Amino acid sequence: MKLTALRMINEKREKDFNKLGVFEAEDLVRFYPRAYLDLTERSSLRTAYHNDMVLVACEVVRVAPVNYMSRLKTVKAYCNQDGLPFTVIWFNQPYVRDKLKAGEYLFYGRVQNKYGQVSLVNPSFEPLEKNDRLKGIIPVYPLKGSLTQKIVRGAVAEALKKAKIDSVIPGPVIEKYGLPSLARSFFDIHNPPDLESRDIAAERLALEEYFILISAFKIIKGGKEDVRIHRYGVSAGEVKAFAERFGFEFTDGQKRAVNEIFENLRGPSRMNRLLQGDVGSGKTAVALCGIFMAVRSGYAAAYLSPTEVLAAQNYALLCRYFPDYRVGYLAGGMTAKEKRELKEALRRGEIDIVCGTHAMIQGDVDIPRLAFIVCDEQHRFGVAQRNALAEKGEGADMLVMSATPIPRTLSLIFYGDLDITTIPDKPKARQEVATSVVSASRYEDMLDYIGGEVRAGKQAYFVCSKIDEDDEEGTLISVKELFEELKGRLPFVRFALLHGRMKDKEKAEVMQAFKERQYDCLVSTTVIEVGVDVPNATIMVIYNAERFGLSQLHQLRGRVGRGSEKSYCFLLMGAESDSARERLMTLKNNTDGFKIAEKDLEMRGSGDFFGTRQSGKVLGEIRNLHYPAGVIFAAKKMSDETFEGHFDTEALREAALKKYNSLKDVVLN
């Protein structure tokens, strides 16, 4: 059914939905909320912290006239809650003046508590006696262009009524395990009567998604041919001599990884190996040893990176360690002429090692003699993208790397077709990073400390998860808001802004300028999670840390501690709770990424490994919902029983193949 068949969607809104990956009315059913507003409890401003989102009942004492002299056309209201006076201000919303009068109201918005003066900024509001909108559990959706929360909620509600929703899990399996109705679960995820119902629905939808995904891997792996084509002639002595170029002794884990790759390349089967290791464990050095094995044997190699920043860094490494070989670079930010010349050189076989981004996957890129492929940060690429590069060299050996430690139980489920090599240890020179969980009451103290460190010549990262301010009901501070706020609070500090919506060339320029100390602090989204190496950066600040998975926080923490100076990671809590504090204390007290990953799986569920980290195209974009890891194992068990009992239907195979093909749509950050 077309989107425009829905009552609330015209052509303009249809285009905006398309930008969000919604093309048909049925897609709206799986257009999950990215967050929820819990408006079941009201707050007291006396106990609210700076930047908290609050629902407050109060009295509006007076509303000032619109200040048209201000560039932002401000409206200000003077209010009182239980004897505490505060102000409410709206920017660029002059119509608010006509809607607001003296009396009792409910406000929902962000608290500003500066120098003891409390205010709310751009809150939603309604008369207290009316209270038919600011109550219950309210879904919050991603937005684009002309779309508002009201429009999206209405469109989703209509789609839920009209869509045909059937589970592809076979009837006998559904009956055996007493699974809830899939249709009811979709309704409850969009309109939860309470948080418990939302969580039950999330588990059921996650189970369906994992069932399809695991079944897809079963179907695809069925006919895989792994016979070795390339014959490597490199000797163990030559590999050992190459490893000595790094100027440090490999750890036991690195040595074992190099040996496993060496043996794999000399064996009868094509290599398809996952190399995982903690931040700073030396995976790149192992990968370069693998590339050496290929080029020394007369073959070509390719090194695929998720971002231009990381690709440029890897290109510099390749040029440094392979001075006797021809190294090429291919990325989206190059000029058309540069790309054309590089592709021609590749076709003529003049390049031994090509390094770059997903630009290497394009159909007009031909890499003769390609025998060895390294795919860095594998979770940033879809299976089909890796395969597209592998197809450029018949029978090419593949080494995919991950700095996100994955519990072995999950690895065996999702990478059952891969040999898994783990580097458990770290280089001895790696700095420990002191980690602190910071409550809102210590926020000013933290900023004062960072200001002092900047004056002493150090650099810092400030990280949050969101790029833009929401049009209505933002629950998290955005990177753009934070950038402006920090500039006001620390005017002597040189701040730079970085986020995933910037062009690759812009991101690379900002990162390079930060590395060269042209900026003191970088305010960024998680785009800096991988590939950034700035030894002078000693401080990492993460806002709303409770919203991230522990493994992702561990990754971000790994961006500091890369030099000789003592480094610090500050985890700011946006919402105080015992469970959130327990999770963050796990990170504070632990530096082993694999132990952290196991604990994260136990406490949070699997979303951090295979959900939010890999875009909604992979697992249904069930964001911010912490369902138990047991869901994955239940899905695997049900998938096993389905194929063993020959219950697999045409509908399941069609859904599984569609899921597999959609993996190529994973967003490259």
Side-chain angles (χ1 to χ4, degrees), residues 152-165:
V152 175
R153 288 168 189 153
V156 169
E158 189 176 354
L160 282 169
K161 292 178 181 177
K162 295 183 176 180
K164 187 173 182 291
I165 301 172

Side-chain angles (χ1 to χ4, degrees), residues 25 58 107 127 132 152 193 325 417 489 504 522 545 552 562 668:
C58 64
F107 287 105
D132 59 1
V152 175
Y325 295 90
D417 60 330
R489 285 175 175 256
D504 284 342
L522 187 64
Q552 191 173 19
R562 293 174 166 256
L668 294 175

Side-chain angles (χ1 to χ4, degrees), residues 311-564:
Q313 191 167 288
N314 289 333
Y315 175 65
L317 281 175
L318 289 166
C319 291
R320 176 181 173 187
Y321 288 106
F322 292 90
D324 301 328
Y325 295 90
R326 298 159 297 182
V327 181
Y329 178 74
L330 181 60
M334 297 166 61
T335 65
K337 181 182 178 183
E338 289 172 332
K339 291 178 187 175
R340 186 171 60 252
E341 290 176 350
L342 192 282
K343 291 173 184 177
E344 289 173 359
L346 280 171
R347 274 193 291 272
R348 292 194 297 265
E350 297 173 359
I351 304 294
D352 299 307
I353 308 168
V354 59
C355 174
T357 62
H358 55 285
M360 295 198 300
I361 299 172
Q362 304 306 315
D364 62 345
V365 177
D366 185 20
I367 311 176
R369 302 181 294 114
L370 178 62
F372 193 92
I373 297 168
V374 176
C375 182
D376 203 358
E377 293 302 327
Q378 61 80 25
H379 64 273
R380 300 294 181 104
F381 297 97
V383 174
Q385 288 173 314
R386 297 199 299 267
N387 288 350
L389 183 56
E391 288 168 4
K392 296 184 182 298
E394 185 181 1
D397 295 289
M398 176 77 76
L399 180 69
V400 297
M401 301 197 299
S402 175
T404 303
I406 303 168
R408 183 163 181 78
T409 45
L410 293 190
S411 299
L412 292 174
I413 291 175
F414 287 93
Y415 300 116
D417 60 330
L418 300 180
D419 294 314
I420 300 171
T421 294
T422 299
I423 303 177
D425 36 23
K426 295 183 185 180
K428 297 179 179 63
R430 187 73 183 181
Q431 285 275 335
E432 290 273 330
V433 179
T435 305
S436 299
V437 179
V438 181
S439 61
S441 61
R442 300 298 304 276
Y443 183 64
E444 298 289 346
D445 294 339
M446 183 199 73
L447 289 183
D448 288 343
Y449 171 77
I450 293 173
E453 290 294 287
V454 168
R455 289 185 191 275
K458 304 298 189 299
Q459 291 171 280
Y461 298 104
F462 291 82
V463 175
C464 57
S465 60
K466 194 174 66 165
I467 296 177
D468 288 314
E469 184 178 359
D470 289 343
D471 71 328
E472 292 180 29
E473 297 149 329
T475 56
L476 305 175
I477 191 168
S478 74
V479 71
K480 293 180 179 178
E481 288 177 285
L482 180 60
F483 178 65
E484 295 299 329
E485 178 184 320
L486 289 172
K487 284 197 301 182
R489 285 175 175 256
L490 298 170
F492 60 90
V493 174
R494 298 170 300 171
F495 286 99
L497 177 65
L498 185 72
H499 56 75
R501 219 172 280 161
M502 296 165 63
K503 294 180 179 178
D504 284 342
K505 185 177 180 182
E506 290 179 287
K507 287 188 285 189
E509 288 173 350
V510 169
M511 276 309 313
Q512 189 61 34
F514 182 62
K515 194 168 185 175
E516 294 173 356
R517 304 193 190 186
Q518 295 176 32
Y519 295 108
D520 304 308
C521 296
L522 187 64
V523 185
S524 174
T525 57
T526 54
V527 71
I528 58 102
E529 181 185 339
V530 295
V532 179
D533 189 3
V534 183
N536 191 55
T538 60
I539 297 172
M540 168 65 68
V541 183
I542 304 171
Y543 286 73
N544 296 107
E546 76 282 355
R547 296 293 188 114
F548 294 87
L550 293 183
S551 291
Q552 191 173 19
L553 291 173
H554 182 59
Q555 288 285 297
L556 290 167
R557 178 171 63 179
R559 295 307 101 204
V560 295
R562 293 174 166 256
S564 58

Side-chain angles (χ1 to χ4, degrees), residues 9 28 58 133 195 244 258 351 625:
I9 302 181
L28 280 169
C58 64
R133 187 168 62 91
L195 294 178
E244 290 173 354
V258 172
I351 304 294
L625 302 180

